[in-house]
Amino acid sequence: MEGLAIRASRPSIFCSLPGFGSDSQRRPPSEGFLRLPASSNAVDDSKLVMNSASFHPISAVNVSAQASLTADFPISETKEKFKGEEKAENIVWHESSICRCDRQQLLQQKGCVIWITGLSGSGKSTVACALSKALFERGKLSYTLDGDNVRHGLNRDLTFKAEDRTENIRRIGEVAKLFADVGVICIASLISPYRRDRDACRSLLPEGDFVEVFMDVPLHVCESRDPKGLYKLARAGKIKGFTGIDDPYEAPLNCEVVLKHTGDDHSCSPRQMAENIISYLQNKGYLES
């Protein structure tokens, strides 16, 4: 019985099995193929059952060590490279019949990205949660992309090396852009220590739709809080490249909102800081369609 034949040096996969087309149309040439005979039980009148245990290679002719196996359909032309991998070039953006303004009208708000940056322990996640709650109470839809949370899924393959931190920010920036395009107020809360990476995310959005919020909290205050015990580990040399200790934090130069630590319990409360951000959004018209 004739089984599966795989050509090893050209971008096609051919299959020749009884009952599937004529042999003259489906039979591949013998050179450069592995012939794998199927067992007599591989095909019956009602269904096709393929079991890898029933396939055994019996000959290989002219198979290149660098041969690749691909499906028999056009392969994308590639030119650009990203992180050492080729990037597809011949792709086309498909426009939707529903535009951003339609979605914003539906939600009665304007999509934007609130990018909260600052040292570990500066209160970014706490303020992000307070902001999300305050917006919810006003009937506004938001979603928070927390730096730690995203590393549990989308960015679980990334380390804390400089190049991976840049990729971490890039991915979050692209996701935040999608949320804003939907009309959602996206709150991104992460250290994002380098200006160039934050500026790259800003460049993804229309002018004004990236709102950079700087948690201006001194290092000694953040270190005294140390909610995760990370500063202690960094000081002991158990964590390398920790922002603020042996890796720099580049404070924003022209951010939209600065939440400065003053030591005052009221002005520095998460709720009050969230209200400061909301005041900015109201003044810029983001809380209306």
Side-chain angles (χ1 to χ4, degrees):
M1 178 182 294
E2 201 170 352
L4 183 70
I6 302 177
R7 182 166 55 189
S9 61
R10 297 181 62 188
S12 299
I13 293 178
F14 292 85
C15 179
S16 180
L17 292 169
F20 288 84
S22 66
D23 283 351
S24 62
Q25 294 176 334
R26 307 292 291 181
R27 187 192 307 273
S30 59
E31 184 176 5
F33 278 77
L34 297 176
R35 293 190 175 278
L36 308 174
S39 69
S40 59
N41 295 326
V43 180
D44 66 26
D45 293 337
S46 61
K47 61 183 178 178
L48 174 66
V49 179
M50 290 189 175
N51 186 334
S52 60
S54 67
F55 288 83
H56 307 282
I58 58 174
S59 66
V61 183
N62 233 5
V63 178
S64 166
Q66 298 182 354
S68 62
L69 304 178
T70 65
D72 194 15
F73 52 78
I75 300 176
S76 297
E77 295 288 337
T78 59
K79 183 177 292 185
E80 297 182 46
K81 287 193 175 183
F82 180 72
K83 292 193 73 176
E85 298 180 0
E86 290 184 334
K87 175 185 173 184
E89 184 181 60
N90 58 339
I91 53 178
V92 179
W93 185 269
H94 185 80
E95 292 292 344
S96 171
S97 58
I98 305 298
C99 70
R100 179 175 180 172
C101 59
D102 296 325
R103 295 186 287 269
Q104 292 183 152
Q105 182 65 32
L106 181 68
L107 295 173
Q108 291 295 295
Q109 64 184 51
K110 293 177 182 177
C112 63
V113 174
I114 312 298
W115 194 279
I116 306 178
T117 176
L119 292 168
S120 177
S122 61
K124 300 180 300 300
S125 296
T126 304
V127 170
C129 287
L131 175 59
S132 181
K133 183 177 180 181
L135 288 169
F136 182 81
E137 291 170 350
R138 287 168 168 80
K140 302 305 175 183
L141 183 62
S142 68
Y143 192 83
T144 302
L145 297 174
D146 182 83
D148 279 0
N149 291 357
V150 175
R151 280 185 176 272
H152 279 82
L154 177 66
N155 293 345
R156 66 185 303 174
D157 59 322
L158 300 178
T159 68
F160 286 91
K161 294 180 181 178
E163 60 271 22
D164 277 2
R165 296 187 82 164
T166 292
E167 173 61 6
N168 178 60
I169 301 306
R170 188 195 71 82
R171 292 184 191 178
I172 293 176
E174 291 286 356
V175 174
K177 173 187 174 183
L178 295 178
F179 273 107
D181 188 57
V182 171
V184 171
I185 298 171
C186 182
I187 307 165
S189 167
L190 57 165
I191 295 173
S192 47
Y194 310 129
R195 293 190 193 104
R196 67 177 184 274
D197 296 336
R198 299 193 301 267
D199 289 345
C201 293
R202 179 186 291 272
S203 69
L204 296 173
L205 289 112
E207 182 72 26
D209 286 359
F210 185 91
V211 181
E212 191 172 17
V213 177
F214 174 38
M215 300 294 298
D216 189 3
V217 182
L219 174 62
H220 73 272
V221 174
C222 296
E223 195 166 355
S224 67
R225 296 172 177 174
D226 202 11
K228 303 173 186 176
L230 299 178
Y231 283 104
K232 184 177 180 180
L233 293 173
R235 291 292 188 188
K238 295 181 180 180
I239 298 179
K240 300 296 183 183
F242 190 77
T243 301
I245 303 300
D246 56 351
D247 200 62
Y249 175 80
E250 299 173 355
L253 299 177
N254 295 293
C255 60
E256 283 73 17
V257 179
V258 177
L259 300 178
K260 190 174 181 63
H261 175 80
T262 63
D264 177 68
D265 290 342
H266 174 71
S267 63
C268 291
S269 71
R271 180 72 187 203
Q272 184 56 49
M273 288 184 170
E275 290 296 334
N276 292 342
I277 299 173
I278 287 179
S279 294
Y280 178 88
L281 295 177
Q282 286 176 329
N283 291 337
K284 294 297 181 178
Y286 283 100
L287 302 187
E288 56 189 40
S289 62

